[in-house]
């Protein structure tokens, strides 16, 4: 837990202040008057946080320094678990999908010695393939849905402290000023001597391989990636030695792509060419009193693995239901501390993974055979379907069927179990899944859910979706973020009830 900074006041800001410092005389500063939660930052992570609060009846306000939404492709890969969460939040995922394109394979050319084709589809998910769609479309969907809940983004409103709010969620990005003012440490690990250059452009002829796949070419001079975009362009991203200044020219990117892939590619109709020096960063802690960090304000990861936005959105979903339970349902405030306990290890693992896998031609060349083995072992982790919280204090019980406490709850396409999960999650609450003979299963589910408006009892005779044999029964409590909190048998009704009482009061 943090040090108890009172009611959302930043250190050094006078309590009761009605107006924040004015960073620019022509720009209005945030002046207070929020209610329960102020969300600072209206990128995908801040918007998701606000939606998760608002749809559970929590009063919130969201402010953003930028004059309007982002434009362009930016973070454009949405992995399957994030699509599932959007779906379970009640967002119009089908409409978003119609604006993008999906892919199934990531193809790696490893030093010309090996080709590794990874199938990144998840056939047991209602969203089996990752989606490539411009970030501007993702943000537009989130802004629109938030407005339907009665909350509008306040654009062009910077935040510099001095606001009375019960809680402040900081979603300002990696250069968060609020994190610095709060004195939260920020550990940075760089990739010295390397750079990333990128452009969205039409390629003719295309790079070698299937143009509908994500392709990566690793060679002595670094790596080249190609990502198919919905409008027929490809995003080319190149990691290589150097420290150039300013945005690269399209000709510079073209020449590197030719040299590093052996293709006579030409680029036309380019957009969004830029250069970056890459680093990973992570906050020492995610909470300081009533301030909570989410997304890039809590952890920044290099963009080459397309995980930053997805991880941040999942932060927001994890935090959102917990903070709403504390505010709206008077759950113990300690529930909020489980946010960092669950999500920070995910970020630590992601940063370590990117450190091991990033190749820009500066370190000793990795062994190709070892890389093949690593890809075969870890290739599907990026979909985030298998990510869970087995070590969380909120994960109680034992493995039943194929499900352990902390696992993602199964969401099989076209299955009544998935429909039940969607019904509970879209209502913003919990689900009790009772599998087994009808009288016993019905009684168990009803007993656990009794007196709790946000807990939906669901009864099924067939527990195959949870890996149960026909003669096995099971009792599962699924949290509002779609993870299993408690796993047991129908006889464990008292344990399930005690779990909810301890967690929610």
């Amino acid at each position: 837990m943090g040090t108890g900074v009172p009611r959302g006041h930043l250190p050094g800001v006078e309590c009761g202040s009605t107006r924040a410092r004015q960073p620019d005389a022509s720009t209005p500063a945030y002046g207070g008057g929020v209610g329960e939660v102020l969300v600072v930052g209206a990128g995908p992570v801040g918007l998701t946080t606000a939606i998760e609060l608002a749809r559970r009846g929590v009063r919130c306000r969201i402010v953003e320094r930028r004059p309007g939404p982002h434009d362009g492709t930016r973070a454009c890969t949405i992995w399957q678990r994030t699509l599932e969460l959007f779906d379970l939040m009640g967002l119009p995922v089908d409409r978003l999908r119609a604006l993008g394109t999906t892919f199934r394979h990531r193809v790696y050319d490893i030093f010309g010695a090996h080709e590794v084709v990874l199938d990144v589809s998840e056939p047991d998910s209602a969203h089996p393939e990752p989606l490539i769609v411009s970030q501007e479309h993702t943000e537009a969907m989130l802004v629109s849905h938030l407005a339907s809940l009665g909350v509008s983004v306040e654009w062009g409103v910077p935040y510099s402290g001095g606001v009375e709010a019960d809680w402040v969620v900081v979603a300002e990005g990696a250069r968060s000023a609020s994190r610095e003012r709060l004195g939260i440490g920020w550990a940075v690990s760089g990739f010295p001597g390397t750079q990333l250059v990128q452009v969205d452009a039409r390629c003719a002829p295309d790079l070698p391989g299937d143009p509908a796949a994500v392709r990566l070419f690793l060679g002595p001079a670094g790596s080249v990636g190609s990502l198919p975009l919905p409008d027929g362009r490809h995003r080319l991203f190149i990691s290589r030695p150097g420290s150039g200044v300013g945005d690269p020219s399209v000709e510079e990117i073209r020449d590197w792509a030719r040299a590093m892939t052996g293709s006579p590619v030409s680029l036309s109709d380019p957009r969004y060419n830029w250069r970056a020096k890459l680093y990973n960063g992570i906050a020492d802690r995610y909470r300081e009193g009533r301030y909570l960090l989410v997304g890039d304000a809590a952890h920044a990861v290099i963009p080459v693995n397309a995980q930053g936005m997805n991880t941040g959105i999942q932060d927001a979903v994890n935090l959102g239901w917990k903070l709403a339970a504390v505010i709206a349902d008077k759950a113990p405030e300690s529930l909020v501390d489980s946010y960092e306990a669950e999500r920070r290890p995910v970020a630590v693992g992601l940063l370590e993974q990117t450190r091991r896998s990033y190749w820009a031609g500066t370190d000793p060349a990795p062994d190709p055979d070892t890389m093949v083995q690593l890809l075969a072992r870890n290739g599907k982790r990026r979909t985030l379907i298998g990510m869970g919280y087995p070590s969380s204090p909120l994960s109680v019980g034992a493995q039943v069927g194929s499900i352990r406490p902390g696992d993602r709850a199964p969401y099989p396409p076209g299955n009544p179990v998935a429909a039940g999960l969607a019904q509970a999650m879209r209502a913003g609450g919990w689900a009790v899944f009772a599998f087994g003979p009808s009288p016993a299963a019905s009684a168990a589910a009803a007993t656990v859910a009794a007196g709790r408006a946000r807990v939906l009892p669901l009864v099924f005779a067939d527990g195959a979706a949870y890996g149960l044999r026909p003669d096995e029964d099971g009792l599962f409590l699924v949290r509002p973020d779609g993870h299993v909190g408690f796993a047991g048998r129908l006889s464990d009704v008292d344990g399930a009830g005690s779990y909810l009482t301890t967690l929610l009061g």
Side-chain angles (χ1 to χ4, degrees):
M1 182 178 291
T3 58
V5 179
R7 282 187 55 81
H9 283 289
L10 287 170
V13 176
E14 181 183 355
C15 291
S17 169
T18 59
R19 195 159 186 81
R21 289 190 299 271
Q22 189 106 346
D24 185 292
S26 64
T27 305
Y30 178 71
V34 62
E36 291 163 336
V37 181
L38 173 68
V39 179
V40 182
V45 175
L47 291 165
T48 301
T49 305
I51 288 171
E52 288 295 87
L53 295 170
R55 75 188 187 97
R56 294 179 170 90
V58 175
R59 290 188 298 125
C60 64
R61 189 172 177 184
I62 180 167
V63 298
E64 170 56 59
R65 175 183 295 274
R66 288 179 285 115
H70 287 116
D71 63 356
T73 49
R74 298 178 66 87
C76 60
T77 302
I78 306 181
W79 293 102
Q80 289 97 313
R81 182 54 179 164
T82 306
L83 291 170
E84 286 185 348
L85 291 174
F86 280 168
D87 192 4
L88 295 172
M89 291 166 61
L91 295 168
V93 176
D94 287 345
R95 273 187 270 167
L96 185 65
R97 188 180 293 277
L99 297 170
T101 187
T102 60
F103 68 95
R104 182 171 180 173
H105 295 108
R106 287 176 66 94
V107 182
Y108 294 79
D109 182 305
I110 302 175
F111 290 84
H114 301 279
E115 180 179 83
V116 178
V117 180
L118 292 181
D119 184 341
V120 294
S121 64
E122 295 283 2
D124 293 331
S125 170
H127 299 279
E129 295 179 343
L131 176 66
I132 300 173
V133 64
S134 292
Q135 183 176 324
E136 61 186 337
H137 295 317
T138 303
E139 289 190 6
M141 175 188 71
L142 295 168
V143 168
S144 175
H145 194 74
L146 183 59
S148 75
L149 297 170
V151 180
S152 297
V153 178
E154 299 177 45
W155 302 105
V157 180
Y159 173 72
S160 56
V163 56
E164 281 201 57
D166 293 330
W167 297 85
V168 176
V169 176
V170 178
E172 294 174 311
R175 295 189 176 100
S176 170
S178 296
R179 184 188 63 230
E180 183 176 348
R181 286 193 297 267
L182 288 163
I184 297 176
W186 181 244
V188 173
S189 56
F191 299 87
T194 71
Q195 59 180 318
L196 175 72
V197 296
Q198 177 176 297
V199 68
D200 296 350
R202 302 187 190 279
C203 303
D206 208 340
L207 297 179
D210 180 4
V214 174
R215 290 162 291 167
L216 297 107
F217 304 84
L218 283 70
S223 59
V224 178
S226 173
L227 183 77
L229 298 174
D231 64 359
R233 293 179 175 87
H234 279 73
R235 170 171 294 176
L236 292 184
F237 50 99
I238 300 175
S239 299
R240 66 180 304 278
S243 55
V245 177
D247 292 333
S249 68
V250 175
E251 291 74 21
E252 181 182 0
I253 297 174
R254 178 204 62 198
D255 291 346
W256 286 342
R258 288 177 175 177
M260 296 167 71
T261 67
S263 169
V265 64
S266 293
L267 306 180
S268 62
D269 200 12
R271 299 191 304 176
Y272 313 122
N273 45 307
W274 59 273
R275 184 192 320 266
K277 293 181 180 179
L278 301 179
Y279 68 92
N280 288 333
I282 189 165
D284 292 348
R285 57 192 184 279
Y286 285 11
R287 179 180 180 186
E288 179 67 25
R290 296 296 183 89
Y291 286 84
L292 296 153
L293 307 182
V294 292
D296 285 356
H299 49 78
V301 59
I302 59 175
V304 292
N305 284 339
Q307 294 289 347
M309 179 183 71
N310 289 267
T311 305
I313 287 169
Q314 291 173 42
D315 288 348
V317 172
N318 184 289
L319 174 62
W321 75 264
K322 295 172 180 177
L323 189 53
V326 169
I327 294 171
D329 300 330
K330 310 307 177 188
E333 190 174 312
S334 58
L335 179 60
V336 172
D337 291 322
S338 69
Y339 159 63
E340 178 180 328
E342 291 183 342
R343 294 302 301 170
R344 194 172 185 278
V346 172
V348 170
L350 176 60
L351 268 58
E352 176 60 22
Q353 176 190 336
T354 60
R355 187 193 66 78
R356 292 195 308 266
S357 63
Y358 179 66
W359 170 244
T362 53
D363 298 320
D367 175 61
D369 293 329
T370 301
M371 293 193 69
V372 171
Q373 295 170 12
L374 288 172
L375 287 169
R377 186 165 65 244
N378 300 323
K380 277 208 171 187
R381 287 187 179 180
R382 69 184 65 249
T383 73
L384 302 173
I385 289 290
M387 190 278 298
Y389 308 117
S391 302
S392 168
L394 272 58
S395 299
V396 174
Q399 180 169 335
V400 177
S402 60
I403 302 301
R404 302 171 304 164
D407 283 354
R408 158 192 169 269
Y411 195 40
N415 191 301
V417 169
L421 180 66
Q423 181 184 359
M425 301 298 102
R426 289 170 188 166
W430 291 68
V432 182
F433 282 94
F435 298 101
S438 181
S442 297
T447 299
V448 174
R452 294 189 180 276
R454 292 188 187 269
V455 180
L456 178 67
L458 297 164
V459 179
F460 298 92
D462 182 2
Y466 277 63
L468 296 172
R469 298 189 309 269
D471 61 339
E472 278 190 297
D473 64 68
L475 184 65
F476 303 89
L477 280 168
V478 178
R479 308 169 358 169
D481 59 358
H483 284 267
V484 175
F486 176 91
R489 301 294 183 181
L490 293 180
S491 58
D492 295 322
V493 168
D494 290 344
S498 297
Y499 172 86
L500 283 177
T501 298
T502 300
L503 205 63
L504 304 178

